[in-house]
Every structure is written in C-alpha cells, then in structure tokens.
C-alpha cells in the first residue's frame, strides 16, 4: 500500500500533487490555505518536529488538550503537513466519525501497520474517553517501534498515565493555551480585519482562535466600533455551541451561568444562588469542564466562554439574570460589611467585577493581558518614594500635600505592586476628614476645597466625616484604566461600605471627561470645587445621608442592563430625614418608652428612614422591634453582655435606678457608667443601620 493510498483511506494529509486536469488536487489548495492562515504554536511545533526527527528526549506519544475552539484540530493539520514534508506517512482519526469502541478505533488505525514510521493523529478524543485505559494499556503498547502518536482532546489525560513510570520517557502532555496578543493580531489581519478594529476584537476573544475567526468575519462586514465591539447573536450562539455544547440539566446550566457572571465560583457561592440544588455535585462538574480553570479563590471559565455565556443569559432572560445578579450582590455586600479586611477586600473585588459586566464598561477596566497587581499598606521606608512620585507626576504642590497626609493620616495610604515583580506601580490615599484648619488649607488646597464644596450643599455634621480618595498616582497609566487602577476602585468601594458615619464620599479625577460615564453609573455627581478645577481635575461626590449603601447598590443593579447613563444629578433634598444628633438625642427617651406604644408614637426616631418603608400604622411596632434588636446585639458579644443586662433591668421594669443597681449588685456609679455605655452602644447601632439602610441578620 502506498503512502498516498494510506492517506486517502484514513483521512491523512499526504495528498499527491499529480495532475488531475485542474492544476493539482483540491487537498493541495486546502493544505496551502491552512498553512497560510496558521499562526503561533511555535513551541508545540518545535516539540513535534523534534519527535519527527527522533531527537534525544523527544516523546513518542504526545497528548494535546484544551477547550473547544482553542485550535487543536488546526494544530493537528499542521502536524500532518510537517510529517508529510519530513517523509513520514500520516494516519488521521477523527473520533467524531467512528463508534467509541476498541474495534472501530483499531479499524480506523489499521493503516499504520502497512507503512514504515507512520504518524498517528487522533482528534476529538473526548468522545472516546472511556477508551483511555484500553488505549494506554493495550493499543499503544502493541504498536511497532517508530510510530509517533498525537492524541488531541478537550480533557487532560488520566493521572494514571504519569503514575506509570514506564510512560515517563515516552509521553509528553501539552495544554494548549490562548494565542498571545501578537499572534491574535496576526490571525485577525490574516482574516482581513482592519487594524483599527483589533482592540475590541482582541478584548472579546481573549486569544481563543475560534472566537477570533468568528469575530473577524463579522467585523470585516460591519461597522463595529473597535472600542466597545460586542459580538452579534450569531457569533455568541456559534461559540456556545462549539465551546460549551449540550448541558446535562437546567441546574447545570444555571451553575454555569453563575460561574460566568462572577469573578470566582465556590460551593459557598453556588449555595447562595441555588439553595435547593446539590451544589457539591455541580461544583465538581464545573471544575472538570475543559474551559474551566482552578484559581486561588475558586473556579472560573475562559474569558470568551464567560463573556458569551453572560451576554447570552442577559439577552435571553433579563429577569432571571437580574435575580441571579441580586442574589450574588447581596452575598458579596454582606461579606464586605462583616468579614475581616483581607476577605472583605476580596469580596469588594468580586463585587466590582459583577457590576462591570455591562459591555460598555469594559474599556474602563484594566486590560486582561496586563500583569496582575495587588494592594498593600505603604511602608515607612517608602514615604520618600511616593512623595517623589507625586512630585514627578503632579508637581511640587502635590508632593507637599502627600508629605502633609503622611504625617497626619499615614494609615490611609495604599501602594499597588506588580504580582510578578513586586515593582511599585503607584499609590493612593483614602482620607477621613471631619474638620478643616488653616494648616490643611495651606498644605492641601484640594482637600480643603473638596470640604468646602460639599459644605455648600449639605455640611458634614458632628460625628460624621468626609471620605476623600486622593492622589491615585500611577506613572504608567495616570488616571487611565489599568490593573492597578482597578485597585483604586476596589479600595474606594470597600471604604464606602465599611466606613461608619461617612456623610460624603469624594473622588478627585484627573481625566473627568473620560471617566464621566462610570461616575454617573456609580451615582457620583460632579461638584464645583473651586479654582483647582482649571488644572483639569474634577471632584465627584455622593451624599450617603440621602442615598444609603443598599439604595446605592440597588441603583447600580438597575442600571446594569441599560447603556451608559447620563451624568448624575446633585443629591435631592433629605426629606426631613433624621440627623445623627437628633437620632442620638432620641434614643434614651425611646428606651424609656420601649414597652409603651403611646410613648413611642411621639418619638422622633419614627423619622428614621429604616422605618419609612413600613406602613404608617406599623412604624411604632417597627421602632420597638428595632430597639429590641439593637439591645439584643449586646448579648451576642461577651464584652457587652453585661450592658444588655443593665438595659433590660432598667427599661423593662418600673423600679428606680437605685433599685436596679442593688438588684445587679453594683455600686450606683458603676451602674450609671454601664447604663450610659449601653445607651451609647444602641445609638451607635441604630445610626450604623440607618446609614447602611438595613438591619443585619
């Protein structure tokens, strides 16, 4: 049997170039086109060529695995061309064309027994996974010496291959990854996509060759804007069909939809969204999918799969999409509020991720191809470094301001470093300002003018403060999207949700025209902050006494499915809402009337916005329940449990305070001190809940 007969009978690529009256075979033209459009994979090609040439240490069996659309079939076609060029006969098996049985597989591979030193290429092996033990233990060991075998499939081989020491010298496993940025651009150019459209196409496809080809084909024929290019429904449907395929059940689909929406997926998160399902089984299924990766904090899909699934779900079922988003959001917000800082910051990063799922927001986030960055507190030995960084980027006045705040609030500074090198990429500072003096006005006019700007609208009252995001200096991406700038957003969101008594939050932006859509999306209005605006910076503000955190997050969720919002308005009037001073002053009297509905009916605390959502007839009872919950919180903490006892004994009886003190076996002065502290604790909790907009469970 000739090499040509073997190739034609088994689907190989060693086509003859003899004349057929039309200038050669169609296979020649196909092979030429495949070679012309093939890009990248230099490492894999070099490994295969070393095996073709029997180089020392080269493998005899090569297993290539990766998700759908990653280019496994194209790589095998290129392997076939290289094998033919080296004079090696090729036998190709596409398992989609055979029954997944040993007999059918052997019939398809029979050609390798008729030639010398053949190359066996097996594609789509995921369809024959049940044959893997037979292939490893029976078929491959029975092949004659000189056979080179390449097996390609979506799944990694069974660990039993490497557990068998006999395979160590002859087997090589290669995980096929995405194309890099340069290779992706070459592929787009080869498909006719104009260079000015590459940015959006690259951001969507994330190096997946199938996605790049489909996106390029669409972009060549439409007028897509390269900055916010989004795939049409046809592209998404084809990708999902090729990359994901059929799913076992609606529960598996929902688990995959959750996974595509969030930054990382854990069993805990699935349990929040799918409380009635076997989330352990679903999570096990997710982590075994070929397009899924396991990271430090959970599993996550390849970006093109993630984006396609998320956009398809948002388009297909908007109401269920919003319901899923809300469940995830509430879970993350609760973690931000109540977890230790390190865990809360991870939850903040995850929260910022889900609110940035709208396609129009993508240009405002760091590029996926950038190296990662992390945040940490500023070290004392780096004070001079960040001061000089501010001087270089913003001038002497900025350096003086940095030096001032390093002396007054060094704990507010955070630096951003490269994950790979530890290099200092930039820094920011979160300031808590509760008053302004002449020293601050001279050292940092920007902070002073921010204070004056919000004071003209609604002054910061006693016990409250202004939270100000200041500096945000990154020399390589000054006030522009980057992975380090994403950390600025993370810290900003964290401080909003964790800081008690923050009346105003403000952000000084150096590129206001660029960031205006994001600021509007985040409900931050642009304030007139005085002369320093002429330097090109702008001040964005939010009054948390008008729109509390829960209302703010609900508003962002409502805007998630719409396009870029218009500029945010200045805060509306406070509608007679209670001030902190009024709330604190009313707590003692309300506790005295705790068990007296008529007395509570006259309490100013009925103006708490926590109670405004209840019918008017229920607000008195709601206030009594609110006081009970605030007092009950004291009992949960061993350090305040005695305060709970003091408040209950005092306000749940008609006894005099002297009698209560005797009943508690306390000196009267000690009792009065504990009573005052207990009332202060209730005041603190009520106002914290009022600012947050809800009462934690």
């Amino acid at each position: 049997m000739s090499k040509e007969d073997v190739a034609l009978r088994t689907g190989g690529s060693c086509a003859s170039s003899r004349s057929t009256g039309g200038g050669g075979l169609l296979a020649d033209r196909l092979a030429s086109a495949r070679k012309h459009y093939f890009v990248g994979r230099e490492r894999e090609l070099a490994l295969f060529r070393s095996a073709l040439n029997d180089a020392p240490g080269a493998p005899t069996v090569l297993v290539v695995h990766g998700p759908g659309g990653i280019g496994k079939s194209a790589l095998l076609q290129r392997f076939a061309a290289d094998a033919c060029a080296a004079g090696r006969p090729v036998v190709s098996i596409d398992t989609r064309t055979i029954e997944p049985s040993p007999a059918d597989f052997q019939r398809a591979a029979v050609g390798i027994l008729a030639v010398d030193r053949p190359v066996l290429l097996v594609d789509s092996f995921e369809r024959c996974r049940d044959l893997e033990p037979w292939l490893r233990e029976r078929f491959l060991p029975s092949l004659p010496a000189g056979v080179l075998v390449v097996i390609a499939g979506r799944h990694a081989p069974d660990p039993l291959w490497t557990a068998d020491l006999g395979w160590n010298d002859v087997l090589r496993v290669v995980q096929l990854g995405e194309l890099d940025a340069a290779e992706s651009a070459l592929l787009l150019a080869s498909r006719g996509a104009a260079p000015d459209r590459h940015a959006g196409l690259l951001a969507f496809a994330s190096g997946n060759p199938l996605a790049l080809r489909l996106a390029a084909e669409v972009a060549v024929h439409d007028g897509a804007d390269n900055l916010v290019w989004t795939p049409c429904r046809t592209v998404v449907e084809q990708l999902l069909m090729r990359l994901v395929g059929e799913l076992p059940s609606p529960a598996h689909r929902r688990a995959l939809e959750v996974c595509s929406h969030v930054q990382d997926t854990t069993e805990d998160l699935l349990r929040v969204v799918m409380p009635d399902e076997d989330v352990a089984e679903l999570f096990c299924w997710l982590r075994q999918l070929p397009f899924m990766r396991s990271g430090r904090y959970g599993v996550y899909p390849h970006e093109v799969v993630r984006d396609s699934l998320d956009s398809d779900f948002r388009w297909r079922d908007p109401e269920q999409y919003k319901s899923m988003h809300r469940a995830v959001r509430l879970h993350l917000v609760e973690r931000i509020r109540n977890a230790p800082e390190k865990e809360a910051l991870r939850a903040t990063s995850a929260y910022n991720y889900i609110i940035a799922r709208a396609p129009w927001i993508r240009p405002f986030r760091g590029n996926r191809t950038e190296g990662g960055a992390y945040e940490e507190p500023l070290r004392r030995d780096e004070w001079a470094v960040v001061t000089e960084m501010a001087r270089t980027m913003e001038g002497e006045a900025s350096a003086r301001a940095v030096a001032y705040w390093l002396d007054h609030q060094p704990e507010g500074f955070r630096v951003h470093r490269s994950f790979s090198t530890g290099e200092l990429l930039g820094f920011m500072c979160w300031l808590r300002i509760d008053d302004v003096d002449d020293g601050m006005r001279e050292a940092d006019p920007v902070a002073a003018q921010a204070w004056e700007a919000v004071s003209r609208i609604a002054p910061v009252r006693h016990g409250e403060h202004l939270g100000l995001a200041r500096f945000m200096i990154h020399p390589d991406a000054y006030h522009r999207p980057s992975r380090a700038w994403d950390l600025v957003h993370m810290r900003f969101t964290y401080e909003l949700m964790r800081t008690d008594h923050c009346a105003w939050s403000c952000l000084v932006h150096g590129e206001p025209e660029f960031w205006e859509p994001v600021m509007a999306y985040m409900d931050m209005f642009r304030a007139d902050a005085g002369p320093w605006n002429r330097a090109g910076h702008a001040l964005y503000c939010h009054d948390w006494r008008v729109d509390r955190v829960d209302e703010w997050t609900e508003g962002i969720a409502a805007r998630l499915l719409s396009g870029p919002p218009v500029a945010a308005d200045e805060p509306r009037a406070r509608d007679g809402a209670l001030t902190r001073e009024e709330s604190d002053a009313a707590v003692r009297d309300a506790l005295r009337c705790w068990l007296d509905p008529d007395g509570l009916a006259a309490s100013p605390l009925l103006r708490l916005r926590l109670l405004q959502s209840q019918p008017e007839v229920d607000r008195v009872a709601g206030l009594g329940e609110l006081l009970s919950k605030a007092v009950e919180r004291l009992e949960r903490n061993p350090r305040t449990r005695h305060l709970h006892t003091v408040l209950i004994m005092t306000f749940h009886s008609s006894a005099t305070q002297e009698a209560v003190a005797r009943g508690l076996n306390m000196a009267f002065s000690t009792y009065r001190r504990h009573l005052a502290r207990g009332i202060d604790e209730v005041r603190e909790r009520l106002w914290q809940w009022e600012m947050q907009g809800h009462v934690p469970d």
Side-chain angles (χ1 to χ4, degrees):
M1 184 182 296
S2 69
K3 294 179 181 179
E4 288 81 2
D5 290 336
V6 169
L8 292 173
R9 287 184 59 181
T10 60
S13 303
C14 296
S16 169
S17 60
R18 63 182 180 273
S19 174
T20 59
L25 296 177
L26 176 59
D28 295 325
R29 295 183 62 186
L30 293 174
S32 178
R34 287 166 181 157
K35 186 173 183 179
H36 174 73
Y37 290 120
F38 187 89
V39 298
R41 309 307 187 196
E42 296 300 329
R43 185 180 63 178
E44 291 80 5
L45 290 172
L47 177 63
F48 179 72
R49 289 164 186 160
S50 70
L52 280 178
N53 297 324
D54 298 320
T60 300
V61 177
L62 182 61
V63 178
V64 178
H65 68 94
I70 205 65
K72 299 182 296 296
S73 297
L75 182 62
L76 259 61
Q77 290 167 354
R78 183 60 185 267
F79 283 173
D82 285 0
C84 289
R88 303 278 296 264
V90 175
V91 175
S92 296
I93 303 175
D94 188 336
T95 63
R96 291 173 296 183
T97 65
I98 67 172
E99 289 295 322
S101 68
D104 259 39
F105 192 96
Q106 284 182 307
R107 278 192 291 270
V110 68
I112 61 175
L113 302 177
V115 292
D116 294 330
R117 303 182 70 243
V119 175
L120 175 62
L121 304 177
V122 182
D123 200 3
S124 304
F125 189 70
E126 66 272 4
R127 293 193 68 254
C128 294
R129 290 189 74 184
D130 290 343
L131 295 183
E132 193 172 353
W134 169 81
L135 192 77
R136 181 180 64 250
E137 298 166 9
R138 302 285 298 279
F139 178 77
L140 292 178
S142 71
L143 295 180
V147 177
L148 174 58
V149 180
V150 182
I151 302 169
R154 295 191 174 190
H155 303 281
D158 192 301
L160 289 176
W161 288 85
T162 52
D164 184 340
L165 297 180
W167 282 104
N168 283 351
D169 293 336
V170 297
L171 174 72
R172 188 74 57 85
V173 177
V174 174
Q175 181 176 0
L176 206 59
E178 300 79 30
L179 299 177
D180 64 27
E183 293 166 343
S184 298
L186 282 175
L187 192 153
L188 290 176
S190 74
R191 308 300 293 184
D196 63 352
R197 297 187 182 176
H198 283 192
L201 302 176
L202 292 171
F204 160 71
S206 297
N208 183 282
L210 174 62
L212 286 163
R213 290 196 298 271
L214 292 174
E217 182 178 347
V218 172
V220 166
H221 295 96
D222 68 14
D225 178 355
N226 68 296
L227 290 178
V228 289
W229 185 87
T230 55
C232 63
R233 300 262 40 97
T234 301
V235 170
V236 171
E237 289 166 4
Q238 289 190 48
L239 282 172
L240 292 179
M241 179 178 64
R242 293 283 299 276
L243 305 184
V244 178
E246 294 295 325
L247 298 174
S249 73
H252 289 80
R253 171 175 288 279
R254 179 53 54 87
L256 195 54
E257 288 166 346
V258 172
C259 194
S260 70
H261 187 64
V262 302
Q263 195 171 37
D264 300 284
T265 300
T266 60
E267 286 189 23
D268 179 49
L269 182 62
L270 285 179
R271 194 173 295 110
V272 169
V273 185
M274 308 173 66
D276 299 326
E277 302 291 345
D278 183 355
V279 297
E281 186 275 328
L282 292 173
F283 185 79
C284 182
W285 171 77
L286 282 173
R287 69 193 304 181
Q288 293 176 359
L289 293 174
F291 52 80
M292 202 69 65
R293 297 167 178 171
S294 294
R296 185 176 180 182
Y297 302 117
V299 298
Y300 59 96
H302 181 275
E303 292 298 336
V304 73
V305 177
R306 180 200 294 279
D307 291 344
S308 297
L309 280 165
D310 196 61
S311 66
D312 182 68
F313 186 24
R314 186 168 61 242
W315 167 79
R316 178 171 44 83
D317 196 343
E319 290 306 314
Q320 283 298 317
Y321 182 88
K322 285 191 287 188
S323 176
M324 178 269 294
H325 172 84
R326 187 173 191 275
V328 173
R329 172 173 56 83
L330 293 176
H331 171 68
L332 293 176
V333 169
E334 198 63 26
R335 282 177 56 198
I336 295 169
R337 285 171 168 163
N338 298 310
E341 180 169 345
K342 187 174 181 180
E343 182 183 340
L345 284 170
R346 288 201 298 269
T348 307
S349 177
Y351 172 80
N352 282 351
Y353 188 88
I354 67 168
I355 66 172
R357 298 304 292 152
W360 68 267
I361 302 179
R362 185 171 296 160
F364 299 97
R365 293 184 61 82
N367 194 303
R368 291 166 175 166
T369 61
E370 288 182 63
Y374 65 95
E375 178 203 86
E376 69 176 11
L378 175 67
R379 300 195 305 260
R380 181 63 179 85
D381 62 350
E382 294 177 318
W383 284 21
V385 176
V386 298
T387 304
E388 185 59 32
M389 192 178 288
R391 179 178 290 108
T392 301
M393 297 302 300
E394 295 184 340
E396 192 61 39
S398 182
R400 285 197 304 271
V402 168
Y404 173 85
W405 290 115
L406 283 171
D407 285 336
H408 288 78
Q409 292 191 31
E411 70 280 0
F413 282 81
R414 294 293 187 279
V415 295
H416 306 138
R417 301 186 188 279
S418 165
F419 260 127
S420 57
T421 66
E423 174 192 3
L424 182 64
L425 303 174
F427 73 98
M428 70 166 293
C429 183
W430 178 264
L431 301 173
R432 294 168 57 105
I433 303 174
D434 55 17
D435 197 5
V436 173
D437 58 24
D438 291 340
M440 184 194 300
R441 287 189 178 93
E442 181 179 356
D444 190 0
V446 172
Q449 289 166 23
W451 174 272
E452 291 162 5
V454 300
S455 296
R456 288 192 292 270
I457 302 170
V460 176
R461 300 181 299 254
H462 177 71
E464 299 174 342
H465 68 268
L466 160 68
L468 177 63
R470 189 76 172 90
F471 306 119
M472 292 93 73
I473 293 176
H474 300 87
D476 292 335
Y478 182 73
H479 285 242
R480 301 294 289 189
S482 69
R483 297 294 288 275
W485 187 263
D486 290 344
L487 296 175
V488 171
H489 291 166
M490 179 190 73
R491 172 57 58 176
F492 187 73
T493 303
Y494 171 83
E495 295 292 349
L496 299 185
M497 294 191 185
R498 294 277 290 203
T499 305
D500 296 334
H501 315 318
C502 182
W504 285 95
S505 61
C506 298
L507 183 71
V508 179
H509 253 310
E511 295 279 352
E513 283 70 29
F514 176 79
W515 290 102
E516 187 73 40
V518 175
M519 293 295 97
Y521 180 57
M522 303 292 283
D523 200 26
M524 304 282 289
F525 76 93
R526 187 169 177 173
D528 179 10
W532 61 271
N533 273 358
R534 291 197 297 269
H537 288 65
L539 180 72
Y540 288 92
C541 307
H542 186 94
D543 185 349
W544 297 102
R545 298 162 300 185
V546 174
D547 286 307
R548 299 166 301 181
V549 170
D550 283 7
E551 296 165 332
W552 179 69
T553 58
E554 289 285 354
I556 290 175
R559 293 186 287 272
L560 181 63
L561 293 179
S562 61
V566 298
D569 297 327
E570 287 195 18
R572 62 185 183 275
R574 296 184 64 247
D575 300 327
L578 214 61
T579 67
R580 174 67 192 267
E581 293 90 340
E582 292 169 333
S583 174
D584 285 353
V587 166
R588 180 184 286 270
D589 288 339
L591 287 170
R592 289 191 181 114
C593 302
W594 193 354
L595 304 181
D596 177 14
D598 291 335
L600 283 182
S603 174
L605 291 177
L606 292 175
R607 289 161 49 203
L608 287 170
R609 296 178 66 216
L610 283 168
L611 301 172
Q612 298 309 300
S613 60
Q614 300 182 16
E616 189 171 352
V617 295
D618 296 334
R619 289 177 190 167
V620 171
L623 176 55
E625 184 179 353
L626 200 61
L627 292 170
S628 295
K629 289 182 177 179
V631 174
E632 286 169 7
R633 289 297 195 278
L634 299 175
E635 190 178 24
R636 298 182 184 180
N637 188 335
R639 291 179 296 179
T640 59
R641 194 168 294 153
H642 63 290
L643 303 181
H644 169 269
T645 304
V646 169
L647 292 179
I648 292 294
M649 293 287 288
T650 300
F651 297 115
H652 273 203
S653 74
S654 57
T656 65
Q657 291 187 358
E658 289 81 357
V660 172
R662 287 195 298 272
L664 292 170
N665 197 26
M666 287 183 183
F668 188 63
S669 60
T670 302
Y671 159 78
R672 292 293 297 270
R673 188 171 64 252
H674 290 338
L675 177 61
R677 185 182 164 200
I679 293 172
D680 284 343
E681 290 282 345
V682 173
R683 287 169 174 156
E684 188 73 18
R685 279 175 171 76
L686 283 181
W687 191 250
Q688 181 180 352
W689 297 343
E690 173 75 352
M691 295 298 289
Q692 291 178 346
H694 86 300
V695 179
D697 294 332

